[in-house]
Amino acid sequence: MESSSSSSTSLRVAFIGAGEVNFGSETVYVPWSHARRLHTLADQVAAAGKDGGSGDGGVQGVSEIVAVGVADVNLARAQDACDKWRAKAPALFKDVKGYDNYIQMLKDTQPNAVIIGLPPFAHGGSDASGRPGCEEWQKANVELVCARMGVHMLVEKPLSCFALDEVSKVESEVSQLAADKGLIVSVAYMFRYLKAVEKMREILAAEGQRKRTAAGLGEGTEREKLDSVIAAVLLRYNSAYAAIQKSMWWDMRLSGGPIVEQCTHFVDIARHFAGEIDNSTLTALSIPPPTDDSPLSLSYLENVPVDVVSGKPVEQGLSFEHRIPRATTAQWKFKSGAVCSLTHANLMHGAEYETAIEIWSDNLRLLLSDPYQTCKLSVSRKGKEQEVFEFGSDDPYYNELRVFLTAVATRNAGIVRSSYGDAYKTYATTWAIRLSSEKNNSH
């Protein structure tokens, strides 16, 4: 199933998971949908070929992209995704087939690459048998099966919701198989592909090199430059909880909790800027879920949504011990010596999140506001007029998928910005935050 190493190749792509992250939503707006971006890239490749070019459009070394299969534990949902996208993008999805067994799909369709968009409880563990919500086909770890069969993977975050000792075993084998087989395994931390983030790193690296030159030092690596200037990272994430209409997300056993499942994006982007985290310095506090339904409790939420499938409140029947914390704050040091503070909450009504990533340096402040949507970067220096850069039209999901497919076609793992092994480090820190907050709440 490995892709050709020739100068131009046809890519056969399959999907594991027929939910929103892979196929969007017909009822509410969501910014993610891998199928939509794949459609755009397939059209670009086809147009480049018709125009007499090399046929690679936005994907280097690719002459054609075809979707060959969709697997989901719910066969009807898999077939529905096939039918809807065959109508939307007939050239791309004309031969796609639906399955309720992803292993059979891999054997039948022989894809070069798969896009894995599954809930946290359905992958990442070495054996998911007997766990809540896990069906028979999910007992074998999805990533391990794909790696053993030689299939390249784009894996949605988080890696899982299971404990570190179990997920670490999966990471070790997946990373080894990727190295041995030359597999591309990219984890979907799309903020790493934002042009705004690239601009921030460019500004910080230039400042770092200026300091090195002033100190009589030569050209440094990008990491050396960033480590010499980033002093503090501030992360703020307040989610619109009323719009999260999935009971699974509200159950700590199935999602891992909001830090592991959602705020993982901000923990990861902090690592992308400031390097590795010293988890031994980390401490966290949280407002735990309520022990009763008193409206006077800080843990009480006025606008808890109903599940989009069952029509029941998402926390109905869920014991308090399995409900999610309402707010979490954490602090830590990076191995560079820089410090970080993170605050995550589930307190917003409506559908819009409030999110910001801020970096402080000597006479330099970078503020990235609303990276999910408007994506505005403000750069402040004492004695200089504030610079503002707008990146609202940038699409990190598209950028990420284009890089992944290019890496598959050219067999260049170096252009992928989050490998499975690297993503495990983010996963470990999110679990450290969760465990620290739970320990402190027990005092």
Side-chain angles (χ1 to χ4, degrees):
M1 296 186 192
E2 296 181 0
S3 62
S4 168
S5 59
S6 62
S7 59
S8 187
T9 185
S10 174
L11 283 185
R12 298 169 61 82
V13 180
F15 296 85
I16 300 179
E20 287 182 358
V21 70
N22 275 345
F23 293 99
S25 172
E26 298 292 324
T27 57
V28 296
Y29 169 76
V30 292
W32 42 81
S33 170
H34 290 305
R36 178 153 55 93
R37 275 70 180 198
L38 190 67
H39 181 199
T40 299
L41 287 164
D43 282 353
Q44 290 174 344
V45 167
K50 289 178 180 178
D51 291 340
S54 63
D56 59 15
V59 185
Q60 182 183 346
V62 176
S63 59
E64 179 187 36
I65 301 174
V66 291
V68 295
V70 177
D72 193 276
V73 67
N74 184 332
L75 179 58
R77 183 164 61 175
Q79 292 175 332
D80 184 60
C82 291
D83 293 341
K84 288 179 178 177
W85 279 90
R86 191 180 294 109
K88 292 179 180 179
L92 175 61
F93 285 89
K94 62 181 178 180
D95 296 323
V96 73
K97 297 179 181 179
Y99 292 82
D100 61 2
N101 185 310
Y102 76 93
I103 298 176
Q104 191 62 50
M105 179 192 71
L106 294 175
K107 292 177 179 178
D108 288 351
T109 64
Q110 297 286 300
N112 305 105
V114 293
I115 299 173
I116 301 173
L118 295 171
F121 65 81
H123 68 127
S126 55
D127 181 8
S129 58
R131 294 193 171 107
C134 291
E135 303 294 339
E136 195 69 21
W137 74 291
Q138 295 164 333
K139 287 183 180 180
N141 177 268
V142 176
E143 289 86 355
L144 283 176
V145 171
C146 290
R148 290 166 183 167
M149 296 179 73
V151 184
H152 306 287
M153 291 173 271
L154 175 63
V155 183
E156 263 302 331
K157 64 81 209 167
L159 296 185
S160 186
C161 67
F162 303 138
L164 291 177
D165 59 348
E166 184 171 346
V167 179
S168 67
K169 298 174 185 176
V170 177
E171 183 278 319
S172 179
E173 184 172 349
V174 168
S175 295
Q176 188 61 55
L177 286 167
D180 293 345
K181 294 174 175 283
L183 297 178
I184 308 300
V185 185
S186 175
V187 179
Y189 283 111
M190 77 286 181
F191 286 151
R192 292 191 178 210
Y193 298 85
L194 275 172
K195 289 183 171 56
V197 167
E198 293 174 354
K199 182 67 175 179
M200 293 169 75
R201 284 172 62 99
E202 175 188 314
I203 292 170
L204 290 163
E207 183 66 11
Q209 185 57 45
R210 185 192 66 78
K211 289 182 63 176
R212 290 179 62 85
T213 301
L217 298 174
E219 185 75 17
T221 66
E222 185 174 37
R223 174 49 51 203
E224 289 173 334
K225 296 173 187 177
L226 296 177
D227 285 352
S228 69
V229 294
I230 296 175
V233 180
L234 295 81
L235 309 168
R236 298 186 297 279
Y237 195 124
N238 198 354
S239 72
Y241 75 87
I244 303 175
Q245 300 173 303
K246 297 178 180 179
S247 295
M248 174 278 298
W249 192 88
W250 295 78
D251 188 332
M252 293 286 285
R253 297 169 299 174
L254 303 180
S255 69
I259 296 295
V260 172
E261 198 284 332
Q262 185 180 71
C263 201
T264 182
H265 278 302
F266 273 32
V267 173
D268 184 76
I269 204 62
R271 290 184 54 245
H272 189 55
F273 281 120
E276 298 310 327
I277 296 168
D278 183 353
N279 285 342
S280 70
T281 67
L282 187 151
T283 185
L285 298 167
S286 67
I287 299 176
T291 55
D292 57 48
D293 286 318
S294 170
L296 298 181
S297 168
L298 276 178
S299 300
Y300 179 80
L301 299 177
E302 294 182 349
N303 200 19
V304 172
V306 298
D307 183 83
V308 68
V309 175
S310 70
K312 300 177 181 178
V314 291
E315 291 189 320
Q316 182 174 310
L318 183 63
S319 64
F320 292 110
E321 65 180 308
H322 298 315
R323 296 184 184 185
I324 64 171
R326 289 0 191 180
T328 302
T329 182
Q331 296 180 339
W332 63 79
K333 291 193 77 170
F334 296 94
K335 292 184 178 180
S336 68
V339 296
C340 184
S341 68
L342 175 150
T343 299
H344 177 278
N346 308 293
L347 298 173
M348 297 295 293
H349 292 196
E352 293 186 5
Y353 293 15
E354 289 191 357
T355 54
I357 300 163
E358 193 168 357
I359 295 178
W360 292 356
S361 180
D362 185 12
N363 197 35
L364 177 62
R365 171 180 175 265
L366 305 179
L367 173 62
L368 180 59
S369 303
D370 190 18
Y372 281 102
Q373 298 287 344
T374 58
C375 203
K376 182 174 76 173
L377 172 61
S378 302
V379 181
S380 302
R381 293 182 173 91
K382 185 69 173 179
K384 292 187 178 182
E385 185 176 346
Q386 184 182 71
E387 296 178 279
V388 177
F389 302 89
E390 304 279 355
F391 296 92
S393 62
D394 188 28
D395 184 352
Y397 303 96
Y398 167 87
N399 301 340
E400 169 188 73
L401 184 57
R402 180 185 60 81
V403 169
F404 169 66
L405 295 178
T406 299
V408 170
T410 61
R411 306 302 287 270
N412 183 6
I415 63 175
V416 166
R417 298 180 188 178
S418 181
S419 67
Y420 202 86
D422 186 75
Y424 177 78
K425 297 176 183 178
T426 293
Y427 188 74
T429 296
T430 60
W431 260 92
I433 295 170
R434 172 182 166 175
L435 294 175
S436 176
S437 67
E438 291 175 348
K439 178 181 178 181
N440 289 329
N441 284 338
S442 67
H443 291 169

